[in-house]
Amino acid sequence: MYIVYIIYSQTTSKYYTGQTHNLEDRIRRHNSGLSKSTKSGIKWELKYKIELISRSEALFN
C-alpha cells in the first residue's frame, strides 16, 4: 500500500506533495530536517492523504 500526501508549512506558506509507504516516518523525516527539499519549512502539517494499492498508481494520482 502506498500513500500520496500533501503537507503544508506555515513557515514558508508552501505545500509539498509526496508519496510513501510509511507516512508516519516520512512526516517525521520532513519535520526533522532530513529531507533536503522541505527542511526550510519545518513544521509541516498533514493536510491530505489517499491510500493506493501500488507505487505506480501513487505516482500517477
Side-chain angles (χ1 to χ4, degrees):
M1 174 110 2
Y2 275 81
I3 300 166
V4 173
Y5 63 93
I6 299 173
I7 53 178
Y8 176 74
S9 167
Q10 288 188 355
T11 304
T12 60
S13 298
K14 293 186 178 181
Y15 289 90
Y16 178 87
T17 302
Q19 58 86 24
T20 185
H21 66 279
N22 185 338
L23 184 59
E24 185 177 302
D25 179 62
R26 190 67 181 127
I27 290 176
R28 181 191 60 76
R29 292 172 55 89
H30 285 302
N31 281 322
S32 65
L34 295 175
S35 180
K36 185 177 180 179
S37 59
T38 59
K39 69 180 179 181
S40 66
I42 298 169
K43 170 134 176 72
W44 293 92
E45 299 175 26
L46 179 65
K47 293 296 184 180
Y48 175 81
K49 72 174 183 175
I50 184 170
E51 295 180 4
L52 302 163
I53 294 171
S54 67
R55 185 170 189 259
S56 61
E57 187 179 10
L59 292 172
F60 294 107
N61 277 304

